[in-house]
Structures are given as structure tokens and as C-alpha cells.
Amino acid sequence: MNDPSTVTTTRDGLEPEIDPVPKGVWQRLRHTEVWQSVFRHPQLDTPRGRALQSFSNVFLHVYPVKVPSRVLRLRYSWRLGYIATVLFTILLVTGIYLMFFYTPSVTSAYGDMQELRTDVGFGQLIRNVHRWSAHLMVLVVVLHLVRVFYAGAYKRPRQFNWVLGMGLLVITLAFSFTGYLLPWDQLSYWAVTVGTNLVGYVPVFGGILSDLLLGGPQIGQATLRRFYTLHVAVLPLALALVLMIHIWRVRKDGFAVHRGSSGAFSEEATQRPGATDPATDQPVDMEVDGTKRVRLLGVVDRESVTAEERLTDDSVFTWPHLLVRHVVVGLGVVATVLALGVAFSAPLRSIANPNLTPEPAKAPWYFVGLQELLSHFDPLVAGILVPAGVLITLMLLPYVDRNPATESRNRKFAIAAFSAVLLIAVTLTVIGALFRGPGWTFVAPWDHSYLEL
Ligand code: HEM
């Protein structure tokens, strides 16, 4: 922010200028060549000054200078996409720390995990935080998908961003799954065995795919090296790249709002003479608090809110309004994973033993719903056709669902179908995770819990 005492002159007749002879250590510091080479222009507390700050700062530049005020509301997005981004950052930082102490070798991996506990400064805590962040990231990304679906935010012009999001979901699952094997204990070995067995059921290519993934007939040194390379190099790069495009497109597509074919934000409703703006109940194209509803001209899709539904006074500066909220949520996420890491340690069972199958051998929790399905149906159906069908249908959803409405009362079929699939997936996961014991028999979780995280 600008110190008013130093603002004395004007530039272009538009902007105040900083006093060339500053007083005080802070002001002097900001006038040194070093400071000004880093922060390239005066920090002026004016619309133009703030815009310039945003454009010239690599971090602020990710954000738009202004956002529609509704974006500030928590229930607009529940900040789930942002929380997933924070979790990914925590995973990168903690993962790099762990890499200093881990070798992907079947003879030393397990010992390295033990040493994290005993010999490495904060080793166990960092491992715990890494593991909790990974679990939470899977959960948060799924919740983000669910939120985007119910908001109808995958519709024109965001169809492709939804597809990119599906790519991010697959990468996130692959990330978690490849990491699961690295401790090389009984839990990781058998969870990954159950998961990778599914690949063998793929028609025609099952054998080739399984060989490619495992590097041999069963999980061994080649598998560990492959999973490690995927986990620390291929998947982080892929996720970072797709995420960059995903976030860039969020900006370019504008921020989604409800728009219905016959609903409040439908073109018909907002363009007929005398129509009212559903957000304000004011007549469209009329004065609202002294500002007029406008259509902004520019290279922007006419369907995006930027083009259609923004009022001239509807936007607020990203800094400080949105950024302060992001900092608070980010700190909250860090505090949460730290607290979980302190309270619950990541498990380490006995060293992996291919000849001793634990009972029950469960897949990681996010695949345990599939394992439950497998116990009822043919592996080809439950392990391949159903998950592939759901994934492909979800990918194509924005192109299949031609209904432009975004509010639930005008998209009852899509909401009912999606909710049914979601309910089945959650039920199967809960049964598989909590109600299954040795021999995949039914157990009550309050008698004994076989859930391993
Ligand atoms: C690593 C995983 C992901 C990350 C880090 C991520 C990040 C983000 C962020 C930061 C936003 C903007 C704010 C927000 O809506 O929360 C966003 C929006 C969006 N995401 Fe994701 N996302 C991920 C996965 C997904 C998935 C799985 C989908 C759906 C298949 C998806 C679809 C979308 C769409 C369509 C938007 C625009 C929503 C709107 O404008 O309201 N994303 N994402």
C-alpha cells in the first residue's frame, strides 16, 4: 500500500507519483536500486497501480486483477480446487525431503522407512504429512469434481477444462497408487498386488499392460523402480503441466454462474425487455447502485460470465480480497495435515513378503469400492468394463449433456443419474473399507476395523 505522506505529484494526470526524496528507513529501502530492480514500479493504491502490480508479479499474475464478488463466497467453490493445489504443493515439498533418504531398491527401501523413524530429523513427521496430504488430495479432488458437476460448471465454455480435470483426477489416483508401493511393507506390497491384478483382466492387452506396469510376472525390483520413476518424475511433471493449463483456462473461461435454458440466468430471461437481473432483482440494462449493467467487449466467449452477467460494480480487487482468503485457507490446510501427521503416524507393517498373503489383502481405500464390486461380479465386468465405462462417460459428459441449464431444477435427469452413481460408489467404498474382514467376509467395524490408510 502507498504511504500517503510520500505521494506528492501526479503522472499523466492520472497516477500519484512517489516522493523522490523519501523519509524513513522503509521508504529509503524501497527507493534503492536493488529493491526497484525486483519490484519494478511504485506500489500505488489506485486501480491502475494495483493492475500494474499484478501484471509485473509472477505470483499475482496467476490471478486476474479483479474477480466477480461472488467468487469470494466460500460456497461458490468451497475452495476445493485451490485446496487441491495447496495439497499438491505440500506433497512436492515433503516428497523432495523424503527423496534425500530413500532408495528404490527392494533390499534397502524398507530399511530407509525405518530409518526415517529413528535417524532422520523430522523424518517420521514429514512422512506422515506426506501420506495424509496424499489421502486428502484424492478426497478433495473427488469433492471438487462433485462440486463442479452439481454447479453445472462443466458446461459451455468449460467443457474442455472438465476433460483436463478428469486427466488430473486420473493422475492424482496414479500418484497415490504408485506412492503406496514405496515403503515396501506387507501393506503396500499386497495393496498394490490387488490393484495391479485388475490390469490383467483387460481384454487382449491385459498381459502386455501388466508386464509393462510390473516389469515382470509379479511385483519386484523392476516394479519398484518403475513406480518410483512414475511417482517422483513422470506424474509430478504431468500434473504440474495439466494443472497449469487447467488454472489458465479457469481464468480465460470466466467464473461459472448458474445459467438455465429456462432459468433465471437463461438468455431468454435476461434479454427480454424489462427482464430483471436474478442476482440483484434490478432490471437488466438499468442502473444498479449507480452503475450500469454492461457487456464487456473483448476476446472472451459470449457465454462466459465476463461477457454476460457481470455488473460494472460487481468485481473486487483480487489483492487483498481473494488473496487474503487464499492465504487463510492455505494456512488452514497446512495446519490440518500437520495436526493429522502429529496425531496419526503412517503405518509400517513387516517387510514385504510375496509368500505370505495378509488377511484381508485390501486395495488402497479409493480402489476398495472396485474390490467390493469384484467380489460380486465377473472381474472383466467389475474390474474393467464398469470403471472404464464410468470414466469415459464422465470424460464425455460435457459433450453428451446438451442441456444448457446449470441450476438443478432444470437438469433433474443428469443430477439423478450422477447422484445414483455417486451413491453406489460411496456405498461400495464404505462396505469394502469398513465392513470387510478376513476372507472378504462381513465384519462389523465396531468389533474390529480392517481399514488401513
Ligand atoms: C489435481 C486436481 C485438480 C486441481 C489442483 C484443480 C484446481 C482447480 C482450481 C484452482 C480451480 C478454480 C477454483 C475452484 O473452482 O475451486 C478449478 C476449477 C475447475 N475445475 Fe479443477 N482441479 C483439479 C481437478 C479437477 C477435476 C477432477 C475436475 C472435473 C472433472 C475439474 C474441473 C474443473 C472445472 C470445470 C473448473 C471451473 C469451475 C468454475 O469455473 O466454476 N478439476 N480447478
Side-chain angles (χ1 to χ4, degrees):
M1 295 289 150
N2 199 32
D3 177 355
S5 67
T6 61
V7 179
T8 54
T9 58
T10 59
R11 185 174 53 193
D12 309 337
L14 289 172
E15 295 295 341
E17 189 71 272
I18 300 267
D19 191 330
V21 194
K23 298 179 188 74
V25 180
W26 179 237
Q27 293 301 329
R28 277 170 201 266
L29 178 70
R30 287 181 19 177
H31 276 72
T32 60
E33 191 178 340
V34 174
W35 180 280
Q36 289 187 354
S37 69
V38 180
F39 305 102
R40 294 192 179 203
H41 54 79
Q43 297 182 0
L44 300 170
D45 192 10
T46 64
R48 187 167 166 251
R50 287 191 190 201
L52 282 172
Q53 275 170 42
S54 268
F55 296 149
S56 67
N57 181 302
V58 69
F59 299 110
L60 287 182
H61 183 251
V62 175
Y63 292 89
V65 177
K66 288 180 130 192
V67 289
S69 58
R70 66 176 76 85
V71 173
L72 300 182
R73 287 185 219 139
L74 188 61
R75 72 189 148 78
Y76 171 74
S77 68
W78 298 104
R79 312 262 185 266
L80 290 165
Y82 172 70
I83 293 174
T85 313
V86 174
L87 286 169
F88 177 49
T89 313
I90 297 174
L91 282 162
L92 283 183
V93 174
T94 51
I96 289 171
Y97 187 77
L98 294 173
M99 278 175 76
F100 281 107
F101 309 103
Y102 177 84
T103 316
S105 148
V106 293
T107 51
S108 56
Y110 185 74
D112 290 347
M113 303 314 289
Q114 286 176 318
E115 278 179 18
L116 278 178
R117 231 179 227 172
T118 49
D119 296 356
V120 176
F122 300 105
Q124 185 64 36
L125 178 65
I126 300 286
R127 180 179 170 221
N128 298 347
V129 168
H130 191 76
R131 198 166 174 110
W132 277 113
S133 304
H135 286 317
L136 284 183
M137 181 151 169
V138 173
L139 185 70
V140 167
V141 170
V142 172
L143 291 177
H144 175 54
L145 179 152
V146 170
R147 185 305 280 178
V148 170
F149 174 83
Y150 282 114
Y154 58 90
K155 303 199 174 193
R156 223 170 99 84
R158 297 177 191 79
Q159 305 98 312
F160 186 61
N161 218 11
W162 168 272
V163 178
L164 290 176
M166 286 302 297
L168 288 172
L169 173 69
V170 172
I171 298 174
T172 305
L173 290 174
F175 229 132
S176 235
F177 188 62
T178 48
Y180 221 90
L181 182 65
L182 305 185
W184 204 250
D185 66 345
Q186 277 290 76
L187 180 62
S188 68
Y189 185 90
W190 287 98
V192 172
T193 303
V194 172
T196 49
N197 277 348
L198 289 180
V199 179
Y201 294 118
V202 175
V204 190
F205 303 107
I208 302 172
L209 282 180
S210 179
D211 270 2
L212 203 67
L213 195 63
L214 303 187
Q218 68 170 43
I219 295 181
Q221 176 57 54
T223 323
L224 186 58
R225 198 181 308 111
R226 277 168 202 216
F227 273 44
Y228 180 74
T229 310
L230 287 170
H231 190 75
V232 306
V234 179
L235 294 169
L237 281 178
L239 201 138
L241 181 72
V242 182
L243 184 57
M244 257 162 37
I245 307 174
H246 188 64
I247 292 177
W248 181 77
R249 287 194 78 121
V250 171
R251 277 198 58 178
K252 296 296 164 188
D253 291 342
F255 294 84
V257 291
H258 283 306
R259 172 179 13 86
S261 59
S262 55
F265 275 111
S266 68
E267 286 196 15
E268 188 216 328
T270 51
Q271 287 181 1
R272 66 174 176 260
T276 54
D277 186 303
T280 60
D281 269 346
Q282 298 293 325
V284 173
D285 283 331
M286 294 295 287
E287 301 267 321
V288 180
D289 292 338
T291 37
K292 198 169 189 291
R293 181 182 175 79
V294 293
R295 276 158 196 264
L296 300 177
L297 295 179
V299 188
V300 59
D301 192 292
R302 62 185 292 278
E303 294 263 318
S304 84
V305 64
T306 333
E308 286 204 76
E309 277 124 19
R310 188 189 291 178
L311 304 177
T312 44
D313 66 342
D314 178 41
S315 58
V316 292
F317 279 106
T318 302
W319 164 253
H321 301 285
L322 184 60
L323 271 170
V324 165
R325 285 163 173 82
H326 275 188
V327 170
V328 171
V329 173
L331 291 175
V333 174
V334 173
T336 306
V337 289
L338 265 177
L340 285 170
V342 170
F344 306 99
S345 262
L348 190 66
R349 306 272 170 267
S350 51
I351 190 165
N353 181 352
N355 301 317
L356 182 68
T357 316
E359 271 297 352
K362 287 195 183 184
W365 65 267
Y366 38 85
F367 287 149
V368 95
L370 276 185
Q371 203 178 349
E372 176 62 24
L373 200 64
L374 272 167
S375 67
H376 300 282
F377 297 97
D378 183 73
L380 178 62
V381 176
I384 303 296
L385 297 182
V386 170
V390 170
L391 212 63
I392 292 170
T393 312
L394 276 178
M395 282 257 184
L396 298 178
L397 177 72
Y399 306 101
V400 175
D401 178 2
R402 311 302 299 163
N403 175 4
T406 56
E407 74 285 1
S408 28
R409 74 190 128 90
N410 290 321
R411 38 194 293 256
K412 289 194 178 110
F413 175 73
I415 299 244
F418 182 87
S419 305
V421 174
L422 189 64
L423 189 68
I424 293 171
V426 172
T427 310
L428 289 173
T429 305
V430 170
I431 294 177
L434 297 176
F435 291 87
R436 292 296 184 185
W440 214 249
T441 50
F442 197 84
V443 292
W446 43 90
D447 289 339
H448 191 288
S449 171
Y450 290 93
L451 173 66
E452 306 250 33
L453 287 172

